[in-house]
Amino acid sequence: MRHHGNFVEWAPFVLLLLALAEANGGNSIALHCAGGFLVLGRVLHPFGLKADNPTHVLRIMGNSLNLLATVILLVVLTMARFGL
């Protein structure tokens, strides 16, 4: 259940940020990196969801990559908005 729940919580938000950043002329390298981090994080995270080990390394890596993709896209959007 949490495999799907976590995907539904993260993927649409990051994909929306990705679309907004692209529509605002964001840096293509940063967009590709963020998209790659999102895909890699989504692939790793389910393998780390273990009931007996909530701090499994794959779970932490998956969530960290999702957060990194989000931060990259927020920075790209901010830079595009303010022309930096």
Side-chain angles (χ1 to χ4, degrees):
M1 180 72 177
R2 283 306 310 153
H3 295 81
H4 301 292
N6 191 276
F7 180 82
V8 170
E9 292 165 359
W10 277 100
F13 177 66
V14 179
L15 289 174
L16 179 64
L17 288 177
L18 193 61
L20 287 171
E22 184 178 5
N24 283 307
N27 183 316
S28 63
I29 294 173
L31 294 176
H32 281 88
C33 288
F37 290 152
L38 174 66
V39 170
L40 185 59
R42 296 313 325 149
V43 168
L44 293 178
H45 186 264
F47 294 108
L49 286 176
K50 308 287 183 198
D52 60 339
N53 187 5
T55 59
H56 194 279
V57 69
L58 292 177
R59 182 178 188 175
I60 293 170
M61 286 176 56
N63 277 337
S64 297
L65 288 171
N66 290 328
L67 286 171
L68 182 59
T70 304
V71 169
I72 289 171
L73 292 170
L74 290 174
V75 168
V76 168
L77 278 170
T78 302
M79 291 176 69
R81 171 67 176 106
F82 294 108
L84 301 174

